[in-house]
Amino acid sequence: MKIAIASDHAGYRLKQALLPVLEEMGMDYDDLGTVDEQSVDYPDYALKVATGVARGQYDRGVLVCGTGLGMCISANKVDGIRAVTAHDTFSAEMARRHNDANVLTMGERVVGPGLAAEVMRVFLTTDFDGGRHARRVDKMTGIERTHGGC
Ligand code: RB5
């Protein structure tokens, strides 16, 4: 599985803490920045990860900012992206099983590195349940076609 991970300055330290976890998990990943704690704009990093996932270059994305929220809102602007903010393992599991979420966002100011690692681990190792949930995910995608840009 190929993963894209990125953060803004407010998520930089947590993003750095997650990299060895990806390595331990044997994940193939690209760190798309940022590279330090100098102030940057989170939509720029959300766009890099979201477009990479939407184009099929990556299977999943992980984004970290201060809260996880700005990254989530930004990533969800890209067609084909189902980004969720999750700071607990139950939400991470259900986001995969029922919503087929493809981008996880977390906030460094919200969650510690230990729990964040577990949330990411669950998100990256849980499969979509399919079945009736596939119909609903298809309907979400349909909203992009029918209401995109309005
Ligand atoms: C940066 O200060 C902060 O606004 C950002 O990291 C994020 O929390 C936005 O949603």
Side-chain angles (χ1 to χ4, degrees):
M1 187 181 298
K2 184 129 194 202
I3 310 297
I5 185 167
S7 73
D8 70 355
H9 56 288
Y12 173 74
R13 281 176 300 166
L14 179 55
K15 188 254 292 174
Q16 293 306 110
L18 293 173
L19 299 182
V21 180
L22 290 173
E23 269 159 43
E24 275 166 36
M25 292 177 74
M27 294 290 175
D28 184 11
Y29 71 87
D30 285 337
D31 176 0
L32 303 183
T34 186
V35 296
D36 56 31
E37 293 182 70
Q38 291 256 26
S39 184
V40 292
D41 296 332
Y42 57 82
D44 298 336
Y45 292 86
L47 185 61
K48 288 181 198 220
V49 168
T51 53
V53 172
R55 289 174 184 154
Q57 294 167 270
Y58 301 99
D59 300 297
R60 308 259 173 87
V62 178
L63 287 163
V64 189
C65 61
T67 59
L69 301 176
M71 286 292 200
C72 189
I73 294 167
S74 304
N76 278 318
K77 301 291 182 193
V78 176
D79 282 2
I81 294 303
R82 292 177 298 280
V84 293
T85 303
H87 294 120
D88 66 276
T89 55
F90 178 74
S91 298
E93 179 186 339
M94 298 313 287
R96 285 291 311 135
R97 290 182 53 195
H98 285 196
N99 312 122
D100 199 18
N102 50 16
V103 174
L104 169 69
T105 78
M106 293 188 285
E108 182 182 307
R109 296 171 181 162
V110 181
V111 68
L115 179 54
E118 278 313 301
V119 170
M120 182 178 73
R121 196 185 299 274
V122 168
F123 186 81
L124 296 180
T125 57
T126 302
D127 290 330
F128 179 44
D129 280 356
R132 67 187 187 280
H133 303 295
R135 184 180 70 243
R136 295 162 186 163
V137 169
D138 286 346
K139 285 193 176 185
M140 285 199 279
T141 306
I143 294 171
E144 290 173 354
R145 286 193 299 271
T146 56
H147 290 76
C150 72

